[in-house]
Amino acid sequence: MITHAGFATDALTFSRAYPAQCNGVFPMTHVSNNASRRIGIDIGGTFTDLFVIEGNGESRIYKSPTTPHDPSVGLLNGLAKAADSFDESLEEFLGGVSTIVHGTTIATNAVLTRQGAKTGFVTTHGFRDLLNMRRGIRERQNDSKYAPPVPLVPRDLVATVRERVDVSGNEVVELHEEDVRAAARHFREQRVEAVAVSYLWSFLNSAHERRTAEILRAELPGVFVTVSSDVVPQIRAYERHSTTVLNAFVGPKLRNYLASIERKLTDRGFGGTLLIVQSNGGVMSPEVASDSAVNALMSGPAAAPGAALQYARRHGSEDVIAVDMGGTSFDVALVRGGESLLTSDSEIGGYRVALPMLDIHTVGAGGGSLVWVDSGGILRVGPQSATANPGPACYGRGGENPTTTDADLLMGYLNPDMFGDGAFTLDVDAARTAVEEKVAKPLGLSVTEAVEGIYRVVNATMAEAVSAVSVKRGVDPREFTMVVAGGAGPIHAVPIAQDRVGELYREMRNEAVETLRSENVADGDIDLAFSADVRYIGQFTEIEVPVAFDGDLTRESLKQLVIDFEQKHEALNGYAMPGQDTELINVRLTALGRTAKPALADHASAGTDPSAALKGVREAVFSGSAVRTDVYDGLALRRDNRILGPAIIEQPTTTVVLLEGYAMTVDSQGNYVIEPANRPA
């Protein structure tokens, strides 16, 4: 297990799906290879974290409280703190930055809280209710009380237009432009802020969608307009409708935020490249992100698996469980054989997304997760969060409900005088009062028993999340390296077949290569991976299968594609049907442009003795008893220092709790490696 408080990505990923009979264009990003100082940024629900790496490989981590009313304020506060540590003005500091990689939860939170733009939807006449009927099935068939999420577009804001394209992409009914203008008048009266357009079979012929967008933009100046043939040009109307609507719903909010942050950074001397993390783990420019906001729905945690793999590789592991415990959520992702798992069948807040996203499992178990007792007298943690304001009770901002952080403080794991990089002190009395009134008394427990119960429940919730991505998929987590990130993480760390296909692949390959070349990526640094979505005819879901393509698609390669599909089908579903007709749904290309990786500096060994970093002793609760526990200054620890638990290691940005029976060793880059104490050092 490796703990690290910051994640950043430096991989540029081109990920694109094409239907088997259509063309499309996907804009790419700009990456600078002239790296000097680089910054990775993660704006979470409670804290904004910055990971600064110098050209010589030295790195530093900074933390600043998130400002929900305007996240850019907290970001600039964090940058100012970083600049001050370098004895530079903010302008001088940013002038030396070549690249900023920004992971953001703006889009995700807009969907989860349903606080996106007021959105209208335009679709083919006769199919008005297809979007809000969803798939017409109960997603949770065993939950009699389950109801689908509230539609992002109410029925009165769904407009239909007379038009039709057939299954071959031929126009059957011309576009009635008067219907589009009538829809625009209605949207204007309703003060709609964004409009999504998705017609039947538009991925085969996008002319109607594009003309519709032209009319809407002329009739509704300033309104965000997006069309499905730009966002997700592939078969399956409901998934395409839903993804396009999500893009419209979050687009204005993300666009405004990115415009604001770009302007503020430029005004303060930043002249480098700003990149936004995509849901598939790659990066994109703010311009692309503003138009394709749906690609940022998992921007916050998406960089974690790739970053975790880099750290694990230094310890000889290609199999990684990456966990990130922040203030609001606990995110888990599996990396197997050096490859992160992607899915094209995911959802956010119950809304379907048909774009490639990292397969990340999220539960509401963060440092700010509220602790409560349900009507049956059962202790619960989350999913509701205290967020950054008012925050946990111990923040002293008026919060009266206990959280995971309050429990960690009362367990003795947190230093009340050094929290969040010294941003503020913690109120122990307020935490004790909240736990006593809301947990201990209702359950008839002492405060010590209550906080230890909270700690166990949180750990159990996180263990179940890890099990969901490992054990439940037939993977033994004991064979994986767990890489732990997030300010609160280390505290809890221990416990397809048509001739047209070849042409499409060539078009996609040429587009990807030329685009990456324009971004200064050398040919030798470009990796292409072709794949296809295949299914048996009549099946509801398809399976993505790698395709051997070297400029042409031969009969033998198609035969091999079917063989590979059937083998994967049997591995996933327990059976295959040899001889059964198959069909190709989508062809895909992922083009990876490798960028220069900054070398992280190795430090000289200082021996195993950690006594020079010992800063004091305080009582902390372990296994039900208060124990006088050594407290170490993490910044004073050096390479090869070894600490036996129980112990507490404090840094400005996080606290590591080392349980009895475990040992922690500092590796060559200052990361903490925790293993059972009986394992040879």
Side-chain angles (χ1 to χ4, degrees):
M1 176 169 56
I2 304 170
T3 68
H4 198 274
F7 275 151
T9 184
D10 54 9
L12 173 64
T13 301
F14 178 98
S15 185
R16 183 59 160 150
Y18 275 80
Q21 298 179 6
C22 93
N23 298 305
V25 176
F26 188 71
M28 289 301 298
T29 67
H30 174 71
V31 174
S32 172
N33 288 319
N34 300 319
S36 53
R37 180 181 292 159
R38 301 184 183 187
I39 303 178
I41 298 171
D42 177 27
I43 298 183
T46 305
F47 283 103
T48 294
D49 297 317
L50 290 82
F51 181 77
V52 180
I53 183 166
E54 294 290 287
N56 61 4
E58 293 289 345
S59 61
R60 305 185 191 182
I61 299 171
Y62 304 90
K63 187 179 289 285
S64 178
T66 293
T67 48
H69 68 285
D70 183 355
S72 66
V73 174
L75 171 56
L76 291 173
N77 289 340
L79 289 170
K81 181 181 291 187
D84 185 63
S85 73
F86 283 88
D87 293 325
E88 296 176 355
S89 68
L90 181 56
E91 289 73 16
E92 290 172 332
F93 176 76
L94 287 174
V97 176
S98 66
T99 306
I100 295 179
V101 179
H102 185 2
T104 175
T105 58
I106 296 289
T108 306
N109 290 341
V111 175
L112 296 179
T113 61
R114 298 185 180 89
Q115 294 180 354
K118 186 174 184 179
T119 303
F121 179 55
V122 179
T123 192
T124 304
H125 180 72
F127 297 86
R128 179 179 185 180
D129 295 308
L130 196 154
L131 170 67
N132 291 335
M133 286 171 60
R134 300 163 65 85
R135 274 292 174 190
I137 59 175
R138 181 189 293 273
E139 283 89 347
R140 304 177 189 172
Q141 298 187 12
N142 296 322
D143 185 353
S144 61
K145 297 182 180 180
Y146 172 74
V150 177
L152 294 178
V153 182
R155 193 173 190 270
D156 65 302
L157 291 181
V158 178
T160 63
V161 171
R162 285 170 291 174
E163 69 83 37
R164 196 64 184 267
V165 171
D166 67 13
V167 68
S168 298
N170 302 312
E171 183 182 70
V172 177
V173 178
E174 67 178 7
L175 177 70
H176 286 238
E177 296 188 359
E178 63 271 24
D179 292 354
V180 180
R181 293 187 171 87
R185 288 193 296 271
H186 177 63
F187 292 153
R188 185 165 50 246
E189 293 169 356
Q190 297 300 315
R191 299 180 182 276
V192 161
E193 301 166 297
V195 179
V197 182
S198 184
Y199 293 144
L200 295 182
W201 303 105
S202 60
F203 61 94
L204 297 176
N205 183 341
S206 63
H208 288 178
E209 281 194 353
R210 299 194 180 282
R211 177 56 183 154
T212 298
E214 291 177 359
I215 296 172
L216 290 173
R217 291 184 178 118
E219 296 284 337
L220 301 170
V223 171
F224 186 95
V225 178
T226 187
V227 299
S228 73
S229 50
D230 284 340
V231 177
V232 53
Q234 63 186 55
I235 198 169
R236 287 191 173 178
Y238 163 62
E239 284 78 5
R240 182 158 45 88
H241 289 356
S242 177
T243 306
T244 308
V245 165
L246 280 168
N247 195 64
F249 187 74
V250 302
K253 194 165 190 175
L254 184 62
R255 178 181 59 186
N256 292 340
Y257 168 73
L258 293 177
S260 173
I261 200 66
E262 278 194 289
R263 182 177 62 255
K264 291 179 179 180
L265 288 172
T266 300
D267 290 346
R268 288 160 178 81
F270 176 62
T273 302
L274 175 63
L275 300 171
I276 310 302
V277 179
Q278 299 188 68
S279 299
N280 62 12
V283 291
M284 55 186 168
S285 68
E287 293 78 14
V288 172
S290 295
D291 292 333
S292 305
V294 70
N295 284 297
L297 280 176
M298 290 300 288
S299 173
L309 178 61
Q310 288 195 40
Y311 286 106
R313 277 175 169 163
R314 296 187 63 85
H315 297 272
S317 178
E318 293 273 318
D319 298 322
V320 181
I321 296 175
V323 303
D324 183 2
M325 184 179 181
T328 304
S329 63
F330 179 78
D331 304 313
V332 191
L334 194 74
V335 180
R336 192 170 190 180
E339 295 290 335
S340 300
L341 301 183
L342 287 170
T343 177
S344 297
D345 184 21
S346 58
E347 62 179 36
I348 297 290
Y351 306 105
R352 190 60 62 90
V353 185
L355 288 172
M357 303 174 67
L358 283 172
D359 194 357
I360 298 175
H361 186 69
T362 301
V363 295
S369 294
L370 296 178
V371 179
W372 51 290
V373 179
D374 67 15
S375 58
I378 303 299
L379 180 63
R380 307 283 189 182
V381 178
Q384 301 87 352
S385 174
T387 67
N389 190 14
C394 62
Y395 281 17
R397 299 174 179 169
E400 298 180 351
N401 295 310
T403 66
T404 303
T405 298
D406 293 301
D408 289 341
L409 175 63
L410 295 176
M411 289 281 282
Y413 296 161
L414 295 176
N415 185 340
D417 298 320
M418 190 188 76
F419 183 75
D421 202 5
F424 50 85
T425 60
L426 300 180
D427 189 333
V428 178
D429 292 335
R432 182 175 289 106
T433 298
V435 171
E436 184 174 21
E437 295 297 326
K438 300 298 179 66
V439 179
K441 287 183 177 179
L443 294 178
L445 301 173
S446 68
V447 172
T448 298
E449 291 172 329
V451 296
E452 190 171 21
I454 295 168
Y455 188 73
R456 289 200 303 268
V457 170
V458 172
N459 292 342
T461 301
M462 295 189 297
E464 177 62 23
V466 172
S467 176
V469 303
S470 57
V471 175
K472 293 182 180 179
R473 296 176 179 175
V475 172
D476 187 348
R478 294 173 298 183
E479 299 175 356
F480 284 66
T481 298
M482 179 181 290
V483 180
V484 185
I491 298 176
H492 300 265
V494 177
I496 150 104
Q498 284 183 344
D499 295 337
R500 172 68 173 148
V501 173
E503 183 179 346
L504 285 175
Y505 276 138
R506 285 188 289 274
E507 291 175 2
M508 294 163 66
R509 177 197 60 192
N510 294 340
E511 177 191 344
V513 170
E514 288 304 314
T515 304
L516 288 172
R517 284 173 177 169
S518 72
E519 306 298 340
N520 298 320
V521 178
D523 288 357
D525 290 329
I526 298 176
D527 291 331
L528 304 178
F530 300 90
S531 63
D533 294 347
V534 188
R535 68 184 181 189
Y536 290 120
I537 292 179
Q539 280 189 318
F540 184 71
T541 59
E542 55 271 356
I543 296 174
E544 185 176 356
V545 184
V547 175
F549 181 77
D550 58 0
D552 198 6
L553 203 60
T554 65
R555 182 178 297 274
E556 290 304 315
S557 59
L558 290 175
K559 287 182 179 179
Q560 188 61 48
L561 173 63
V562 175
I563 293 172
D564 293 342
F565 161 72
E566 292 182 337
Q567 290 176 346
K568 194 166 185 178
H569 192 285
E570 184 167 19
L572 292 173
N573 303 307
Y575 72 97
M577 297 183 290
Q580 180 72 25
D581 288 341
T582 58
E583 59 182 342
L584 165 65
I585 305 302
N586 299 303
V587 294
R588 300 181 182 272
L589 166 62
T590 297
L592 176 66
R594 295 188 300 275
T595 61
K597 307 295 189 297
L600 297 174
D602 286 330
H603 302 287
S605 176
T608 60
D609 183 9
S611 59
L614 184 64
K615 59 188 294 187
V617 177
R618 71 167 177 263
E619 286 195 347
V621 178
F622 291 92
S623 302
S625 302
V627 179
R628 287 182 59 77
T629 306
D630 289 342
V631 180
Y632 292 86
D633 181 358
L635 297 182
L637 289 171
R638 295 295 180 260
R639 176 178 178 177
D640 295 333
N641 283 182
R642 181 177 172 86
I643 298 174
L644 296 177
I648 296 173
I649 300 92
E650 295 180 341
Q651 287 193 186
T653 56
T654 190
T655 298
V656 180
V657 173
L658 190 63
L659 300 185
E660 184 176 0
Y662 287 83
M664 189 193 82
T665 306
V666 183
D667 73 3
S668 62
Q669 294 179 351
N671 298 304
Y672 302 151
V673 181
I674 301 174
E675 299 174 315
N678 58 6
R679 183 175 295 179

